[in-house]
Amino acid sequence: MLITSRAFVEISVIIILLLTAGLPAVIFMKYQKNHGLHLLYWGLGLLVFVISVFLELLMAAGIFSRFLIDLYLFLVAILVDFLAMGSFALFGNKKYLNYYYLYTGLASIFLLITLIIYPVGKIIIHHIVFGPLPLMVVVSSSFVSFPAAFFIILIAALSYKKSRNIKLLSIIAGVIVVSIAGTLYIAAIPVFLYYAEFIGILLLWIGFK
């Protein structure tokens, strides 16, 4: 069953935006202290997440255009890339991270090209980003987000096995949830998008506090 209340959607997004807004600053301050490259990438990913949530708020309020929708779809994919790069940096293998730079750079260019060539059109239904995308956009965004999500989960398991750090587990769980949240608009119950974003941000705050 779709939840179609504009007020519900707007309030949900506002709460998520308020919870998210300060998190990149917290992560960047931690990065300044210990210069962990993973913190830099996670901070950039969360900054992109803040922007994408702000775009969700605009679209829930009925403010949208092809440019804003394309920008939203691009940012949702790119934020997963940044989170994956943070995971690779946490893992500590520079060679694998360099390979991923090359792959994600090419995949992101492919996504950008498909968004330009294939018009997405209006996919705002009941104030939520929810609707069919052009096949090539689905393919190109999958090249960006699916491998990133896979590596995030894999590296999360390896990192926790190595450290057994509960706070790290909370951070990694939050990274995983946030990384998949942006794809949930295609689910049968798209309001799960907001549940996932809310849970992911809470896990990140618990880990970074």
Side-chain angles (χ1 to χ4, degrees), residues 102-189:
L102 177 61
Y103 172 81
T104 195
L106 294 174
S108 299
I109 292 171
F110 179 38
L111 173 59
L112 187 60
I113 291 172
T114 57
L115 286 171
I116 293 171
I117 294 175
Y118 300 95
V120 173
K122 179 183 175 182
I123 57 170
I124 311 298
I125 300 175
H126 302 300
H127 316 291
I128 300 174
V129 183
F130 180 66
L133 298 174
L135 177 60
M136 287 305 298
V137 173
V138 174
V139 170
S140 61
S141 61
S142 298
F143 277 140
V144 176
S145 58
F146 286 176
F150 170 78
F151 286 123
I152 287 170
I153 295 170
L154 176 63
I155 295 171
L158 294 174
S159 298
Y160 179 67
K161 183 179 179 181
K162 182 178 180 180
S163 70
R164 300 292 180 179
N165 186 322
I166 297 299
K167 281 198 170 186
L168 178 61
L169 182 62
S170 180
I171 292 169
I172 290 172
V175 166
I176 291 171
V177 174
V178 168
S179 71
I180 65 172
T183 64
L184 291 178
Y185 66 89
I186 62 174
I189 307 177

Side-chain angles (χ1 to χ4, degrees), residues 8-141:
F8 173 83
V9 174
E10 290 180 346
I11 291 171
S12 299
V13 178
I14 289 171
I15 291 173
I16 294 166
L17 184 60
L18 291 174
L19 286 173
T20 310
L23 193 52
V26 171
I27 297 174
F28 286 137
M29 283 190 291
K30 288 182 177 293
Y31 169 71
Q32 287 181 335
K33 289 182 179 179
N34 60 32
H35 300 287
L37 187 59
H38 63 289
L39 293 173
L40 175 62
Y41 284 132
W42 282 348
L44 290 172
L46 268 295
L47 183 59
V48 173
F49 183 71
V50 171
I51 298 171
S52 67
V53 173
F54 179 71
L55 292 179
E56 288 174 7
L57 180 60
L58 291 181
M59 291 185 282
I63 303 171
F64 55 85
S65 64
R66 179 189 171 185
F67 172 76
L68 288 180
I69 293 172
D70 286 352
L71 178 61
Y72 174 77
L73 294 174
F74 184 75
L75 291 179
V76 163
I78 294 303
L79 79 87
V80 186
D81 261 345
F82 276 122
L83 297 177
M85 284 188 282
S87 295
F88 271 109
L90 178 66
F91 189 60
N93 191 309
K94 190 173 182 181
K95 181 175 72 173
Y96 291 156
L97 180 58
N98 288 335
Y99 287 150
Y100 189 74
Y101 285 151
L102 177 61
Y103 172 81
T104 195
L106 294 174
S108 299
I109 292 171
F110 179 38
L111 173 59
L112 187 60
I113 291 172
T114 57
L115 286 171
I116 293 171
I117 294 175
Y118 300 95
V120 173
K122 179 183 175 182
I123 57 170
I124 311 298
I125 300 175
H126 302 300
H127 316 291
I128 300 174
V129 183
F130 180 66
L133 298 174
L135 177 60
M136 287 305 298
V137 173
V138 174
V139 170
S140 61
S141 61

